[in-house]
Amino acid sequence: YGQQLNVNYQYLRTQLYSDYNIMDNDAIIASALDIIADECSLKNEMGEVLQIRSSDEDIQKILYNLFYDVLNIEFNLWSWTRQMCKYGDFFLKLEIAEKFGVYNVLPYTAYHMERQEGWDKDNPMSVRFKYSPDGYVGGGYGQFSVPHQFSPDTTGIYFDNYEIAHFRLLTDVNYLPYGRAYIEPARKLFKQYSLMEDAMLIHRISRAPEKRIFYVNIGAIPPNEVENFMQKTISTMKRTPFIDQETGQYNLKYNMQNLLEDFFIPVRGNDQVTKIENLPGLQYAAIDDVTYLRDKLFAALRGPKAFMGYEKDLTGKATLAAEDIRFARTIDRVQRITLSELYKIALIHLYTQGYTSDQLTNFELSLTTPSIIYDQERIALLKEKVELAKSIQESKLLPTDWIYDNIFHLSQDQYSEYRDLALE
């Protein structure tokens, strides 16, 4: 089943992208994508979106120049993250100059890009990318691909692995070598939700208007003249005369009935008088179906309803805080995926400027923690561990080896190193 899904996904990828574009027009899904991009691109207390740390000051300056001056990470990270979550894939073409490194990036639409893995028989781990300007060709060199479809064509432009930064949400192996869109679990629900909304609106518009029943006493009018009498009565009461301003002609075809059309029923008899009754509009009570599907849509998007204004009756901060922490873990996972490609860009940039071996990896990148409460909980947990360790050490109940091993879960090599550093 996994192999079949992978092959089908290669063919249906662009169709899914079209569905994602339609879904992006929905208020809930568009808001969810915006919130994810916002949470992933927060600034820290120093006003930095991306934190760069290195023991080499030159490397830190080079990378700071790359991300903030060349890539404009403060502005672009939001759109890169949103595109990756929307399609599952986002491609950046790296413009690289020898000795100067990455000097520009060009975003490429996922519709026209292929990731081809294992295309070189001599190097099974080789990866390259194909850009088709005239449209997506389909497929890719993967373990489940169909080989006969990938003969070289003259319209495609091929890029080496180091020329493309491929941001992809690797949450399902069946979609490899591509990522799965963040909104993919909501695709089926979105169609059901849209159909139910349309059904509700159509039902309300077509069945809800209040109408009137006119009981017209026809007295002693002969049966064969009742129809003409009723039509004359309806024309007099319901049709509005219309005069054409250009021709000045009198037009009686202008009829304002449509949804406001009433019922005219002739009645006969001395005790029956002409009367008018109101026929109430239909009371539509199926809004629960729409609410049910909307709640499932929220579950698929994994975002707190309170963030989107759908939960006004929160009784306390604890409820939102719990949702915030759970959502922060989701954002943290998206940030790690984004960081993996930012590391790739940084490594390529440093390599072209002559850095090799240990110098090449002498840096760390990090994005701002998405939740203050999430960060506070980790700090509070560490604080409690330190206080517990201090209490045990002062009471001399247990040796420090036990404290390092059971409270801080450090290996013997680690806490031996930390003892030496603490003494130093």
Side-chain angles (χ1 to χ4, degrees):
Y1 171 76
Q3 294 181 2
Q4 187 64 35
L5 175 61
N6 186 283
V7 174
N8 289 340
Y9 181 69
Q10 313 307 324
Y11 292 108
L12 301 177
R13 194 158 68 94
T14 50
Q15 296 181 23
L16 294 181
Y17 290 162
S18 300
D19 287 346
Y20 299 151
N21 281 331
I22 295 172
M23 292 170 68
D24 196 13
N25 293 323
D26 180 74
I28 294 177
I29 294 178
S31 297
L33 290 173
D34 289 344
I35 288 170
I36 293 168
D38 288 338
E39 294 292 307
C40 288
S41 56
L42 292 174
K43 293 183 179 181
N44 66 358
E45 63 276 4
M46 303 300 293
E48 294 178 339
V49 174
L50 179 69
Q51 292 83 54
I52 305 167
R53 291 186 294 274
S54 174
S55 60
D56 189 328
E57 188 177 353
D58 291 335
I59 290 178
Q60 190 159 348
K61 287 181 179 179
I62 290 171
L63 293 182
Y64 196 93
N65 173 261
L66 168 68
F67 287 111
Y68 284 92
D69 298 331
V70 178
L71 301 184
N72 195 8
I73 197 79
E74 292 178 300
F75 177 78
N76 289 322
L77 184 63
W78 188 91
S79 60
W80 294 351
T81 305
R82 195 181 191 280
Q83 287 289 99
M84 179 183 67
C85 292
K86 178 179 175 181
Y87 296 113
D89 299 280
F90 177 68
F91 300 89
L92 270 184
K93 169 67 172 65
L94 308 181
E95 299 285 333
I96 306 171
E98 190 175 355
K99 296 182 180 180
F100 293 102
V102 180
Y103 65 89
N104 190 27
V105 289
L106 300 173
Y108 277 7
T109 172
Y111 280 93
H112 298 158
M113 289 294 295
E114 290 182 48
R115 180 188 178 99
Q116 299 182 350
E117 296 184 352
W119 59 276
D120 188 355
K121 294 181 180 179
D122 298 330
N123 184 12
M125 301 302 293
S126 59
V127 177
R128 70 177 180 183
F129 296 88
K130 178 184 174 184
Y131 174 68
S132 303
D134 299 331
Y136 176 66
V137 177
Y141 285 86
Q143 55 179 331
F144 304 128
S145 60
V146 185
H148 72 273
Q149 290 193 335
F150 309 115
S151 56
D153 69 86
T154 56
T155 59
I157 303 172
Y158 291 90
F159 299 107
D160 289 326
N161 191 18
Y162 67 87
E163 294 182 280
I164 298 291
H166 182 194
F167 296 81
R168 50 180 179 163
L169 285 174
L170 297 175
T171 57
D172 193 335
V173 295
N174 292 319
Y175 289 81
L176 290 175
Y178 302 98
R180 188 183 75 160
Y182 184 88
I183 58 177
E184 169 62 25
R187 189 163 59 90
K188 178 183 176 182
L189 285 170
F190 168 73
K191 294 178 180 180
Q192 294 174 336
Y193 177 65
S194 299
L195 288 173
M196 187 58 68
E197 269 191 331
D198 293 342
M200 178 190 69
L201 291 173
I202 292 170
H203 207 271
R204 280 182 176 272
I205 292 172
S206 61
R207 306 297 297 175
E210 184 182 84
K211 297 186 179 183
R212 295 184 181 90
I213 303 177
F214 291 80
Y215 294 94
V216 182
N217 191 343
I218 57 176
I221 297 176
N224 58 342
E225 295 181 8
V226 170
E227 180 68 24
N228 293 333
F229 173 77
M230 292 300 298
Q231 290 296 334
K232 183 178 179 181
T233 303
I234 294 171
S235 297
T236 303
M237 297 178 65
K238 295 295 292 182
R239 291 188 178 177
T240 305
F242 174 73
I243 300 175
D244 195 331
Q245 297 294 333
E246 296 182 359
T247 62
Q249 293 180 352
Y250 193 69
N251 187 359
L252 281 175
K253 293 182 179 179
Y254 185 75
N255 191 345
M256 291 292 293
Q257 291 183 6
N258 51 59
L259 292 178
L260 303 178
E261 188 173 352
D262 297 319
F263 300 99
F264 292 83
I265 300 176
V267 294
R268 193 188 293 274
N270 294 331
D271 59 340
Q272 295 290 338
V273 295
T274 300
K275 62 179 181 178
I276 302 174
E277 289 184 0
N278 282 332
L279 186 65
L282 182 67
Q283 299 298 319
Y284 188 81
I287 191 67
D288 293 341
D289 297 338
V290 179
T291 305
Y292 167 75
L293 289 173
R294 190 194 68 195
D295 290 342
K296 287 191 70 175
L297 194 63
F298 279 125
L301 295 173
R302 302 182 294 282
K305 293 166 66 175
F307 280 14
M308 303 181 195
Y310 278 91
E311 215 166 87
K312 302 291 186 182
D313 56 344
L314 289 175
T315 55
K317 292 183 179 180
T319 308
L320 183 57
E323 290 183 345
D324 189 17
I325 293 169
R326 188 169 63 248
F327 186 61
R329 295 191 183 102
T330 302
I331 298 299
D332 186 56
R333 185 171 66 250
V334 176
Q335 285 183 330
R336 288 198 302 270
I337 293 170
T338 305
L339 279 174
S340 67
E341 288 305 307
L342 295 181
Y343 266 105
K344 176 182 177 180
I345 297 173
L347 289 171
I348 293 170
H349 185 69
L350 291 174
Y351 183 80
T352 54
Q353 298 202 7
Y355 289 92
T356 56
S357 63
D358 293 341
Q359 287 182 316
L360 192 61
T361 57
N362 184 16
F363 68 93
E364 288 183 6
L365 303 178
S366 61
L367 293 169
T368 307
T369 306
S371 171
I372 296 175
I373 301 171
Y374 183 54
D375 209 17
Q376 286 175 339
E377 278 210 344
R378 289 193 293 112
I379 294 171
L381 179 61
L382 183 60
K383 182 180 178 182
E384 290 181 3
K385 285 185 174 183
V386 171
E387 290 177 352
L388 177 60
K390 184 179 179 182
S391 176
I392 293 174
Q393 195 171 7
E394 288 176 351
S395 63
K396 298 181 181 181
L397 290 175
L398 294 166
T400 54
D401 287 0
W402 188 94
I403 295 173
Y404 277 121
D405 189 20
N406 292 277
I407 296 180
F408 296 101
H409 305 293
L410 298 175
S411 66
Q412 185 175 354
D413 291 340
Q414 284 178 316
Y415 62 70
S416 296
E417 180 185 356
Y418 290 158
R419 274 203 185 97
D420 296 338
L421 290 173
L423 289 171
E424 183 182 348

